Amino acid sequence: MIQTTLGIDGMMCEMCEAHINDAIRRNFAVKSAKSNRRKKQCVIVSEDELDQDKIRSVIGETGYDLLSISSEPYEGKRGFLGLFS
């Protein structure tokens, strides 16, 4: 699994966050997409690496500014019970 973090400028409200999330989900096979306007980012979890050129195109079509793209292996969430495994 891969975690891709997008730096995005221009989100002002929850509807902006939803707009980005919907655009990502429509165009890519992802496990999750969560945007945060305060952090100016969208965190995406997917099985495979996402095409960066397509990301630029999809975000560009939304009208928001893509500032950065970074990817790393996704470790998953470690809940309370995960401490004991």
Side-chain angles (χ1 to χ4, degrees), residues 5-44:
T5 303
L6 309 179
I8 300 175
D9 195 22
M11 293 185 288
M12 303 300 245
C13 64
E14 290 177 9
M15 289 302 294
C16 296
E17 294 170 345
H19 189 204
I20 294 288
N21 295 341
D22 290 345
I24 294 295
R25 290 180 185 126
R26 270 195 315 271
N27 289 279
F28 299 96
V30 299
K31 297 289 184 185
S32 69
K34 296 179 183 174
S35 295
N36 185 314
R37 67 186 177 276
R38 290 180 187 94
K39 292 182 180 180
K40 295 184 177 185
Q41 70 180 16
C42 178
V43 178
I44 304 161

